[in-house]
Structure formats: structure tokens, C-alpha cells
Amino acid sequence: SDAVYLDGEFVGVGGNGMRMRTADLGATWEDDSGFLMGHFRGVATNGSVVLAVGHSYGGEGWSSTSVDGVTWTDIVAGGTSFADIIWAADTFVAVGNAGRIARSTNGLSWDDETVTAGDFRTIAFVEDTFYVSDGTTYFSSPDGDTWTEMSSDFARPIVAGWNGTFFTVGGNASVARSTDLSAEWETVFMMTGGRFVSMAVGAIPVE
């Protein structure tokens, strides 16, 4: 499940084809999309188009686009399932199982850039570079097209980045950070029970 903000509304996606929107900070939600036999795992926007990605019940990758969060165009992207997506460097980049990396400018057509790796669950864009990890190895790219393997004894999924700092989340509702992916991560928050699976960073205007 995931959510993005577009034109005064949050658009959320999730299981069984769920694509919902709210204009009152989550107090009420509207679902105009209907049921689909699969799950959406991630969503991103370039400011004019919302692009959700996921997989069918059988594990086949698919995507769905919308300009308003109301009317959606569904595309069967084929290949292995998608798990996450990001918009950066003027392109959508989605990642998924079996080292799948795919690029799209509109969500209607995809160019696969699969690398030899395990399953990717997250993708982040930090300091003008895309980063993914299968939990064993990092891969980086300046454009989502050409990827470079980065070996590390401390590889973990990167969920976000801010001012040159990488962030990851996990069990016991933990948050960890790193400024050097070749070094061990520093846990900055943890509590008993629960699990974080994602996070977002941004700037809050100060009046």
C-alpha cells in the first residue's frame, strides 16, 4: 500500500485493486476504481499523472494510470511483479521481484532494465542517484537505465533519502540511517512490536 499527493488530494492504493482518494486529510475516502484481481504495492506522481504498480493474483506485473484519481487506465506490464515506484530524473522507475527494474515516461509502456539480483522491495532517489537493494547488494543509477553494482556487508533496503542521508525501516518499528552504504547502519528509533515498511521525507514550510 502507498499514497501520493496530487492537486489537493491524496491518492492511496492497495490490495484487490484499491485506488482511493481523499480531499480532507483522510477523514473520508472515495473509491471510484472498482475491484481488480491483484494488488497495488506502490504509487508515484510526476505532478500531472498518477502511476500505480503491483501485480495480479498470479504474480504478473501491472500498472494503472490516472490524471485525477477517479478514472484509471490499467496496463498489464508483464514480467515479474512490481513492489515500488518512484518519479525522479524525469522518469518513473519501478522495481520488483527477481531483480526487475523498469522505466516508463507515462505508465503505458515500459522498458525493462533487469539486473542479476534477488527481489527488490523499495527504490529511493538520493543526491541525484537512484538506489535499490535486494538485502545483499546495492545497485545505483543516475538515470534508471544504466545500473552499477555496489557490494556491501551491510546492504539493506533503502526507503528514503534526505540531504545525503539514507534511511531504512524494519522490525520493532525501527528506523536506521546511513551516510556511507559501506558501513553499518545507525538505528535512530525503535520500539517494541510492530514493523515499519515505508517512510517519506520532505520539508514543512515555516510561516
Side-chain angles (χ1 to χ4, degrees):
S1 302
D2 201 0
V4 293
Y5 183 79
L6 176 69
D7 293 337
E9 294 185 329
F10 286 96
V11 179
V13 302
N16 299 315
M18 185 189 77
R19 287 153 292 174
M20 304 179 70
R21 56 194 174 88
T22 177
D24 53 13
L25 299 179
T28 59
W29 291 83
E30 295 184 47
D31 184 356
D32 305 290
S33 58
F35 172 83
L36 285 177
M37 296 181 65
H39 308 299
F40 288 110
R41 301 301 187 187
V43 63
T45 181
N46 62 4
S48 58
V49 173
V50 176
L51 176 52
V53 297
H55 57 86
S56 66
Y57 287 165
E60 186 176 31
W62 63 5
S63 64
S64 186
T65 65
S66 175
V67 297
D68 56 11
V70 179
T71 303
W72 294 81
T73 299
D74 301 326
I75 302 295
V76 177
T80 59
S81 63
F82 289 126
D84 196 15
I85 186 172
I86 195 172
W87 167 265
D90 295 324
T91 188
F92 289 103
V93 181
V95 297
N97 285 358
R100 185 175 191 182
I101 303 172
R103 297 181 301 123
S104 177
T105 57
N106 55 19
L108 302 178
S109 59
W110 293 88
D111 294 319
D112 272 280
E113 312 293 340
T114 302
V115 299
T116 302
D119 296 340
F120 295 133
R121 291 287 175 259
T122 62
I123 181 170
F125 190 73
V126 186
E127 300 293 302
D128 298 321
T129 303
F130 293 97
Y131 290 91
V132 296
S133 172
D134 61 0
T136 302
T137 304
Y138 295 115
F139 295 85
S140 65
S141 171
D143 55 13
D145 182 14
T146 303
W147 291 83
T148 301
E149 183 174 336
M150 305 167 55
S151 297
S152 174
D153 293 332
F154 305 100
R156 295 178 63 178
I158 301 168
V159 297
W162 183 256
N163 283 345
T165 299
F166 303 91
F167 294 93
T168 188
V169 296
N172 287 324
S174 62
V175 178
R177 67 180 181 182
S178 173
T179 56
D180 181 359
L181 295 179
S182 64
E184 192 168 359
W185 290 74
E186 175 192 3
T187 299
V188 295
F189 178 82
M190 179 182 290
M191 63 183 185
T192 303
R195 182 179 185 86
F196 290 140
V197 296
S198 184
M199 71 178 293
V201 297
I204 300 175
V206 177
E207 297 181 355

